[in-house]
Amino acid sequence: MQELSVFLSDPLLLTILCTIVGLMVGSFLNVVIYRLPIMMERGWRCDCKEFLGLEPDNTDSEPFNLFLPLSRCPHCKTAIKPYQNIPVFSYLFLKGKCAQCGEPISLRYPLIEAFTGLCSAIAAYHFGYGIELVFALLLTWALITLSFIDIDKQLLPDSIVLPLLWLGLLMSLFHIYTDPVNSIIGAVAGYMSLWMVYHLFKIVTGKEGMGYGDFKLLALFGAWMGWQFLPMIILLSSLVGAVIGVSMVVFGDRDHNVPIPFGPYLAAAGWLALLWGNDIINLYLAAAGLQP
């Protein structure tokens, strides 16, 4: 065990190891991003049919979860062999096409794998060997999953957000990232701040500006890092969201009435705050002349 600790204490080796782990996790995240919303929709449909006293469809009784059925080509339905499922490398080896039917494989799969590996490497380099890195990687992978699900479905699943929120409160008891008082205040302030913005916006415009999942995600960040980081997270996410949203409307011919998911911007801002929050705050205070 001591030899393993010495091995992992090398920043370069630790970063390489976390990159490899991140690539493998990214492959699994592709599955979660695609299947979890379908699982949720099936669950809602079954609940509705049970409430209405209707018989479930045959498709509702077939196993569909994060592990079954096994991954298949969406075109020819051929099962993907293990050597064809190596993160990034299999895509390059197959030249982005199915080995059986030759249909193109979405570039999104290797990009998510590579992005997960990159973010894992950055977290490893920043935190180094320790318990903070373990939880940072867990949050990183969850935020990537939430972001892409929100992009696809405009949905931030409670099954991911709420356990991490409670985990943040629990970690604060051991003073990981923050202390219990700041964590509890952060969770409450994170939720209530966006809740109030939501209702004020609805009163003024008659429209819903964001979803309840965004409230819970900001509460998660408050529980993990404390209330002090919430203004910075809100400011960063709002600025990035506004710039990208306006750019999409002006240059991308996107209808301004079509809602834009806020979760990815919130997730990105929260992740940056976890790694460099204190540096960003100190830089701002120094630029504003508020730091002694």
Side-chain angles (χ1 to χ4, degrees), residues 10 12 35 58 60 68 70 81 83 91 93 157 162 165 167 169 198 215 226 228 257 268:
D10 186 314
L12 179 59
R35 295 193 181 191
N58 293 331
D60 295 332
L68 293 174
L70 299 178
K81 298 178 175 60
Y83 69 85
Y91 182 88
F93 177 75
L162 294 183
L165 193 159
L167 178 61
L169 294 172
Y198 166 86
F215 313 165
Q228 297 90 337
N257 291 317

Side-chain angles (χ1 to χ4, degrees), residues 54-66:
L54 302 176
E55 291 294 327
D57 297 333
N58 293 331
T59 55
D60 295 332
S61 60
E62 296 174 355
F64 188 90
N65 51 52
L66 299 181

Side-chain angles (χ1 to χ4, degrees), residues 185-199 215 218-219:
I185 296 176
V188 175
Y191 188 92
M192 293 303 299
S193 58
L194 290 187
W195 182 87
M196 289 187 292
V197 170
Y198 166 86
H199 284 282
F215 313 165
L218 188 60

Side-chain angles (χ1 to χ4, degrees), residues 2-292:
Q2 185 176 1
E3 293 179 355
L4 179 61
S5 299
V6 173
F7 174 79
L8 292 178
S9 63
D10 186 314
L12 179 59
L13 293 176
L14 178 63
T15 301
I16 294 174
L17 177 61
C18 287
T19 302
I20 296 173
V21 173
L23 288 171
M24 293 187 293
V25 170
S27 180
F28 178 68
L29 296 187
N30 276 317
V31 177
V32 179
I33 291 167
Y34 172 73
R35 295 193 181 191
L36 183 58
I38 297 177
M39 293 164 55
M40 295 173 65
E41 290 171 4
R42 286 191 172 197
W44 297 333
R45 186 166 60 247
C46 288
D47 291 342
C48 290
K49 288 181 178 180
E50 181 180 355
F51 177 78
L52 296 173
L54 302 176
E55 291 294 327
D57 297 333
N58 293 331
T59 55
D60 295 332
S61 60
E62 296 174 355
F64 188 90
N65 51 52
L66 299 181
F67 304 100
L68 293 174
L70 299 178
S71 297
R72 298 178 180 273
C73 172
H75 303 285
C76 64
K77 308 303 180 183
T78 301
I80 299 176
K81 298 178 175 60
Y83 69 85
Q84 297 172 340
N85 209 22
I86 301 173
V88 180
F89 296 102
S90 290
Y91 182 88
L92 298 175
F93 177 75
L94 295 172
K95 298 180 181 180
K97 298 179 180 179
C98 173
Q100 183 67 26
C101 65
E103 287 292 326
I105 301 172
S106 174
L107 184 61
R108 172 169 167 165
Y109 297 123
L111 287 180
I112 290 179
E113 293 165 353
F115 183 65
T116 305
L118 175 63
C119 291
S120 301
I122 294 173
Y125 184 81
H126 178 81
F127 287 104
Y129 182 66
I131 191 65
E132 290 85 0
L133 172 60
V134 175
F135 291 115
L137 288 174
L138 179 63
L139 182 61
T140 298
W141 301 335
L143 292 177
I144 293 173
T145 305
L146 289 169
S147 296
F148 281 96
I149 290 178
D150 200 24
I151 291 172
D152 290 342
K153 302 293 185 179
Q154 296 188 3
L155 179 70
L156 295 171
D158 285 348
S159 56
I160 298 177
V161 177
L162 294 183
L164 287 173
L165 193 159
W166 293 116
L167 178 61
L169 294 172
L170 181 62
M171 286 191 303
S172 70
L173 297 176
F174 303 93
H175 292 262
I176 300 175
Y177 301 126
T178 190
D179 58 80
V181 173
N182 288 324
S183 178
I184 295 172
I185 296 176
V188 175
Y191 188 92
M192 293 303 299
S193 58
L194 290 187
W195 182 87
M196 289 187 292
V197 170
Y198 166 86
H199 284 282
L200 286 174
F201 183 83
K202 189 173 182 180
I203 292 173
V204 174
T205 66
K207 301 179 181 179
E208 297 182 355
M210 62 183 68
Y212 277 69
D214 298 320
F215 313 165
K216 300 169 190 175
L217 183 56
L218 188 60
L220 182 158
F221 290 134
W224 277 61
M225 290 171 269
W227 62 269
Q228 297 90 337
F229 291 91
L230 293 179
M232 180 186 65
I233 293 173
I234 294 175
L235 179 61
L236 283 176
S237 59
S238 300
L239 286 176
V240 175
V243 171
I244 295 179
V246 171
S247 300
M248 291 174 65
V249 172
V250 174
F251 302 106
D253 295 329
R254 184 187 180 97
D255 188 350
H256 68 277
N257 291 317
V258 176
I260 298 175
F262 187 55
Y265 310 123
L266 202 57
W271 189 75
L272 291 174
L274 180 69
L275 271 67
W276 299 291
N278 288 320
D279 296 333
I280 295 174
I281 292 175
N282 291 333
L283 183 63
Y284 171 79
L285 293 177
L290 301 176
Q291 194 173 43

